[in-house]
Amino acid sequence: MTLYTSHQLRDRHSVRSYTNDPIPVTALAVLQQELESVNTEYSLEGVRFVMCCDSPAAFNSFRKSYGFFRNVNNYLVAVVYSSCANAREVAGYAGERLVMAAVAHGLGTCFVGATYDAAKVDVELSATESIAFLITIGVASEGKGFIARLVEKMAHRKCIAPEDFYDTDMAFYNLAEAEDRLRYLRAGLRALAAAPSALNRQPVRVWLGEDAYLHAGLAMTGKYTDIDLGIAKFNFQNVAPGKWEWGVGGRFMTH
Ligand SMILES: Cc1cc2nc3c(=O)[nH]c(=O)nc-3n(C[C@H](O)[C@H](O)[C@H](O)COP(=O)(O)O)c2cc1C
């Protein structure tokens, strides 16, 4: 799997205004390749992604997209099987992997859980499947509408400092002790602070337990917090040597 630097993780931000230019061929080829890998790796976890190109209908209704988005012609659909316990979390993890691949190739992206027209999404679902979220993809536009500018400014503001992603209530070791034991913890906390989350709530926390494992959990629960958990785990894992177990309370297993 491609690893991204802390800088790349921090530079990503949600883009809601695009040009009508098609996705450049090289970037499109990389994305298709990454999408195939993701679909192979996570099919047993109940996750598949579908790419929809030249398909603006899901974002054309002002009522459903609240005018937040401009010129969304291309998007990925995260489809999950309802019977797989961690599917939405895995979809968040794999979604951030696809987002970073797109960003590394100069594209703009945005996770979208709510502000799209579900009836107009260009994908066939079986009775046991549902859409967890979409990811818009395209060439970012310089000129933005007033609402888009306002939303991006409000939504991107990060209010939580990296050290506050360490949950001192759950932890057996305080942050200084934990950082002494886990050299990668500080970089991991910064990566968590850079992770996108629904309504920018940044709900994911980590802590070093009595069992000497780092755990990941949620400071609050909501409609999208399982997805946020997967996204945050991807960011952390990118800068730290190990692999998360799925689920709330999952441990970080170092190599
Ligand atoms: C699961 C999820 C759902 C989201 N849903 C929406 C949405 O419906 N509409 C929207 O404009 N932004 C949506 N966002 C984008 C967030 O608002 C954005 O990631 C957050 O404000 C942080 O800003 P940043 O991505 O620029 O760092 C969503 C993000 C996530 C992770």
Side-chain angles (χ1 to χ4, degrees), residues 67-78:
F68 291 174
F69 289 92
R70 269 187 156 194
N71 300 332
V72 177
N73 298 319
N74 315 299
Y75 55 86
L76 303 175
V77 189

Side-chain angles (χ1 to χ4, degrees), residues 157-217:
R157 198 180 297 146
K158 304 287 185 206
C159 355
I160 305 179
E163 56 271 23
D164 293 333
F165 287 86
Y166 189 76
D167 191 332
T168 44
D169 291 339
M170 294 294 286
F172 183 76
Y173 299 94
N174 67 34
L175 180 57
E177 291 164 344
E179 281 185 329
D180 237 24
R181 286 168 175 255
L182 311 175
R183 290 288 168 201
Y184 54 80
L185 183 58
R186 179 58 57 159
L189 294 174
R190 282 200 209 101
L192 291 181
S197 59
L199 296 169
N200 202 18
R201 286 214 170 111
Q202 303 190 285
V204 177
R205 299 290 180 273
V206 295
W207 63 91
L208 188 58
E210 194 173 359
D211 58 5
Y213 280 107
L214 192 68
H215 297 257

Side-chain angles (χ1 to χ4, degrees), residues 12-14 16 111 113-115 155-156 158 196-198 200 228 231:
R12 181 218 55 81
H13 65 278
S14 293
R16 295 178 179 82
F111 279 86
T115 54
H156 187 57
K158 304 287 185 206
S197 59
N200 202 18
D228 295 337
I231 295 173

